[in-house]
Amino acid sequence: MTSEEVWFRLLRDLGQWAVDDYGSWTIRRAKDGAYLGNVSILDHRRLIEPAMTDPELGWGLSPAFHGEGFAHEALQAALAWADAHLSATRTVCMISPENLASLKLAARVGYRPYATTTYKDQPVQLFERPRRAP
């Protein structure tokens, strides 16, 4: 990302915490603090049908760290936090049908498909995961 895009993302993430008491976390490797990516619970207010009105989970990991279990660990931690702190009955996520790794990971942490639609002229699948008792 450009420095401008990083700045806007930072403002968005901080604002999400201020408005809704949830937002993004940085994923860092414990042994050396290396930046791996992030995991977020956000309210994007996307212009999409069907509407996504529940907190939306998203994640991104540097390709250098794919396949090592870091994304799974981060998602489990974010979902445990969501289950303990959010009143929403579910969280949702949106994944491109071509993103096989994210589709597999979403299923592994309990997400199930509920709709296929388009977003910004691209096909996407919508998934939901019911809130679990902490």
Side-chain angles (χ1 to χ4, degrees):
M1 290 189 295
T2 67
S3 59
E4 178 182 19
E5 291 167 330
V6 169
W7 180 247
F8 282 126
R9 178 177 266 187
L10 176 64
L11 293 177
R12 178 202 68 193
D13 292 351
L14 292 172
Q16 187 73 68
W17 279 105
V19 170
D20 287 321
D21 291 328
Y22 56 83
S24 294
W25 293 272
T26 295
I27 306 168
R28 293 194 177 275
R29 188 167 47 196
K31 73 178 182 180
D32 60 6
Y35 176 81
L36 308 182
N38 72 352
V39 61
S40 304
I41 303 172
L42 299 171
D43 177 3
H44 287 291
R45 302 198 180 206
R46 296 182 191 275
L47 300 176
I48 191 170
E49 287 295 329
M52 296 172 70
T53 57
D54 296 291
E56 181 181 346
L57 199 79
W59 59 91
L61 202 66
S62 172
F65 301 104
H66 287 186
E68 296 185 39
F70 294 119
H72 181 253
E73 183 178 348
L75 285 177
Q76 286 183 304
L79 288 167
W81 185 94
D83 290 340
H85 294 92
L86 299 181
S87 61
T89 60
R90 70 179 187 163
T91 56
V92 296
C93 66
M94 178 176 71
I95 304 173
S96 167
E98 293 86 33
N99 189 340
L100 300 180
S102 285
L103 292 170
K104 182 178 174 182
L105 180 56
R108 189 171 171 203
V109 297
Y111 280 95
R112 300 294 175 253
Y114 72 92
T116 300
T117 188
T118 58
Y119 180 68
K120 296 186 177 180
D121 298 321
Q122 297 296 316
V124 294
Q125 292 178 297
L126 304 182
F127 295 81
E128 64 184 347
R129 177 189 171 273
R131 181 178 182 217
R132 298 182 181 158

